[in-house]
Amino acid sequence: MEERTGGGCWGARGRGGEGRRRDARAPAWAGPHPKCAGGLGLQPWGRGPAGRAGGGGDAQRPPPAFGVPQALVDDTEDVSLDFGNEDELAFRKAKIRHPLATFFHLFFRVSAIVTYVCCDWFSRSFVGCFVTVLLLLSFDFWSVKNVTGRLMVGLRWWNQIDEDGKSHWIFEARKASPNHIAATEAEARIFWLGLIICPLIWIVFLFSTLFSLKLKWLALVIAGISLQAANLYGYILCKMGGESDLSKVTASFLSQTVFQTAGPGDFQKPGLEGLEIHKH
Amino acid sequence: MAKAAESSGDPGTTTPRPLMRDLKAVGKKFMHVLYPRKSNTLLRDWDLWGPLILCVTLALMLQRSSVDSEKDGGPQFAEVFVIVWFGAVTITLNSKLLGGNISFFQSLCVLGYCILPLTVAMLVCRLVLLAEPGPVNFMVRLFVVIVMFAWSIVASTAFLADSQPPNRKALAIYPVFLFYFVISWMILTFTPQ
């Protein structure tokens, strides 16, 4: 899954960049990563303004409070490739930058659910179905945690044990710097909806298993819930960033994904400027 | 902190191929279980993929083939799963309550990886059971299971014992002993019919 935009500007942590094989550069995180200074990310993904005009919800304009002149975000104007907010806007309204990551984000989760529901039609073997669903859930967990979260919304989380044996959970969100484009709306929407809806479906399965007393499936359903909820929890903690107020985060999330507006926080995420490291 | 971060568990998003990195980590831990030395690898870079693989393999091998297609080994498969994971969680809680300074997932990681010798024992037992039944058959299996059981105990105590205060070591190790004993019992009493 190639990353089109520059190697992530994760912030001045002294850590190497996204490190693709062809990028042999040593980490230099004091300033923006050279690849982040990226007009290279600004291929309009084959759609550009035409996509915007065709896309349904993209008629929204950000309020001029951002300081972006209204004329520059006119739908009919070609997007120029100089760096600036209007570019970022246009790029955010591009549809999907990482199609493979988006596909796999949804593929494993949905096929795990479908397999669980439909396994009786394909084979009578409990073991085969169990192992298949478990494998799909594991692949989904690994890919969402390690790949799609980072590519689609620029969040990552992991656990680290330092020399004292203390365990730290670390949650990071990618800086929304002018040289690096934040996540596109479509990808963010797909990511979060996929992340939230699937655990809810597994919880429904939990109750149906309990009430229909098919208890041999209980182990699988509990495994499914824990794997998916772990990712959900991790990414929510990443997203919360510096804000510990859950209601504010929920409100801004809802406004972004459901109502398809770019909230003012998107361009100046105060909680996410700079590096966020949270020790839990 | 940054230095420690880069030398030890890196987040998997700065390496270009996180899949290979994870697979290599799992393989390395398997090696550490087979040749238990006092080392921090199992504890520092924990992951639960190894225990998952081992649990699934063990559960698959403990399947009884049955004539009746309705009882297709379902409950036994899920039983193994529940015993392994629930047992590991209980031991972890026990060791945390006794004041150990190991984290929840680290303990699960160690206990899970140390099932490897018993999985090998299961494999050997299944092969031995292809031969004709009899007391010799049983003695061979008993011997193999006892050796692997001892190996599991040694491997897990090598990693876990240090995390406990000295006067509580026996209290913490006893449930581990019980856990692997139950698994060994399941392996030893397994018959394909």
Side-chain angles (χ1 to χ4, degrees):
Chain A
M1 296 176 206
E2 280 297 300
E3 186 174 340
R4 282 170 178 258
T5 55
C9 303
W10 293 103
R13 204 160 175 217
R15 177 188 305 273
E18 289 296 322
R20 272 124 346 138
R21 255 164 298 173
R22 60 178 186 271
D23 180 6
R25 230 175 305 228
W29 288 127
H33 191 282
K35 290 237 165 162
C36 288
L40 51 91
L42 292 183
Q43 300 151 22
W45 193 249
R47 296 234 210 148
R52 278 213 332 256
D58 287 337
Q60 297 275 353
R61 305 239 166 100
F66 292 156
V68 174
Q70 193 68 9
L72 282 176
V73 295
D74 195 336
D75 269 344
T76 58
E77 191 171 296
D78 278 345
V79 178
S80 62
L81 283 186
D82 49 313
F83 316 130
N85 271 347
E86 68 275 10
D87 242 350
E88 191 168 345
L89 245 188
F91 202 72
R92 279 180 59 91
K93 301 215 182 266
K95 285 302 173 180
I96 292 179
R97 269 181 293 157
H98 303 109
L100 209 54
T102 312
F103 171 72
F104 277 110
H105 176 76
L106 293 176
F107 172 70
F108 288 130
R109 331 199 115 209
V110 170
S111 46
I113 290 177
V114 166
T115 311
Y116 177 78
V117 168
C118 301
C119 62
D120 277 340
W121 298 345
F122 293 132
S123 110
R124 310 233 24 210
S125 158
F126 167 80
V127 171
C129 179
F130 192 108
V131 172
T132 309
V133 175
L134 194 63
L135 274 180
L136 287 169
L137 287 170
S138 315
F139 292 158
D140 162 70
F141 178 83
W142 186 88
S143 60
V144 171
K145 179 175 182 306
N146 284 310
V147 180
T148 65
R150 169 176 54 103
L151 289 183
M152 288 169 78
V153 288
L155 302 171
R156 61 185 182 179
W157 59 280
W158 71 97
N159 175 269
Q160 200 161 284
I161 307 211
D162 60 19
E163 274 115 20
D164 304 331
K166 277 215 180 59
S167 139
H168 301 278
W169 289 95
I170 305 194
F171 303 91
E172 277 186 4
R174 184 150 49 190
K175 273 200 280 194
S177 70
N179 293 321
H180 188 79
I181 313 296
T184 59
E185 289 177 18
E187 281 186 344
R189 200 176 312 140
I190 292 177
F191 180 81
W192 288 105
L193 286 179
L195 206 61
I196 292 178
I197 291 182
C198 291
L200 293 177
I201 297 182
W202 281 102
I203 291 182
V204 168
F205 289 157
L206 173 72
F207 287 117
S208 82
T209 313
L210 280 176
F211 292 142
S212 65
L213 292 180
K214 289 197 194 142
L215 293 180
K216 65 182 182 178
W217 291 106
L218 203 59
L220 184 61
V221 175
I222 291 181
I225 291 180
S226 22
L227 286 173
Q228 311 233 312
N231 258 330
L232 178 63
Y233 184 61
Y235 280 116
I236 286 182
L237 286 179
C238 288
K239 184 82 178 166
M240 278 166 65
E243 309 201 38
S244 47
D245 187 358
L246 187 55
S247 57
K248 249 195 285 176
V249 172
T250 318
S252 77
F253 161 71
L254 281 175
S255 70
Q256 278 171 42
T257 61
V258 176
F259 298 112
Q260 299 178 10
T261 52
D266 285 352
F267 292 93
Q268 292 160 28
K269 293 195 166 79
L272 295 180
E273 283 281 85
L275 188 66
E276 300 296 319
I277 304 179
H278 305 280
K279 298 201 173 26
H280 287 254
Chain B
M1 177 66 178
K3 209 155 181 300
E6 278 180 338
S7 61
S8 72
D10 84 282
T13 53
T14 57
T15 50
R17 300 158 76 187
L19 181 62
M20 288 314 298
R21 177 197 57 116
D22 282 339
L23 288 177
K24 279 198 198 132
V26 171
K28 210 161 111 186
K29 289 195 196 59
F30 279 142
M31 287 297 120
H32 271 271
V33 171
L34 287 179
Y35 305 111
R37 269 183 301 279
K38 247 193 205 331
S39 110
N40 269 340
T41 311
L42 263 184
L43 289 185
R44 295 280 300 278
D45 302 327
W46 60 268
D47 70 71
L48 295 180
W49 298 114
L52 184 68
I53 296 172
L54 288 173
C55 190
V56 171
T57 313
L58 196 60
L60 281 175
M61 287 200 281
L62 277 171
Q63 283 271 283
R64 286 187 167 73
S65 61
S66 62
V67 185
D68 195 352
S69 69
E70 273 176 26
K71 303 187 190 138
D72 57 348
Q76 288 115 20
F77 187 89
E79 257 169 36
V80 175
F81 242 85
V82 167
I83 287 178
V84 168
W85 286 102
F86 190 66
V89 166
T90 309
I91 297 176
T92 307
L93 286 178
N94 173 67
S95 81
K96 284 196 83 82
L97 287 173
L98 282 176
N101 67 349
I102 193 173
S103 93
F104 182 78
F105 288 108
Q106 280 175 305
S107 173
L108 281 186
C109 170
V110 170
L111 289 168
Y113 271 101
C114 291
I115 296 180
L116 178 65
L118 287 170
T119 310
V120 172
M122 182 73 222
L123 197 59
V124 171
C125 283
R126 280 219 89 151
L127 292 174
V128 168
L129 279 168
L130 293 174
E132 78 219 37
V136 173
N137 198 305
F138 179 74
M139 295 307 291
V140 169
R141 283 186 291 132
L142 181 66
F143 176 72
V144 167
V145 169
I146 288 180
V147 165
M148 292 302 180
F149 167 67
W151 199 334
S152 283
I153 299 275
V154 164
S156 59
T157 50
F159 296 114
L160 284 181
D162 284 341
S163 66
Q164 292 292 331
N167 54 339
R168 299 267 173 85
K169 280 206 203 309
L171 270 179
I173 297 300
Y174 168 70
V176 177
F177 181 92
L178 208 55
F179 176 64
Y180 290 126
F181 181 77
V182 167
I183 298 182
S184 314
W185 185 261
M186 284 198 301
I187 293 175
L188 191 57
T189 57
F190 171 76
T191 51
Q193 278 334 37

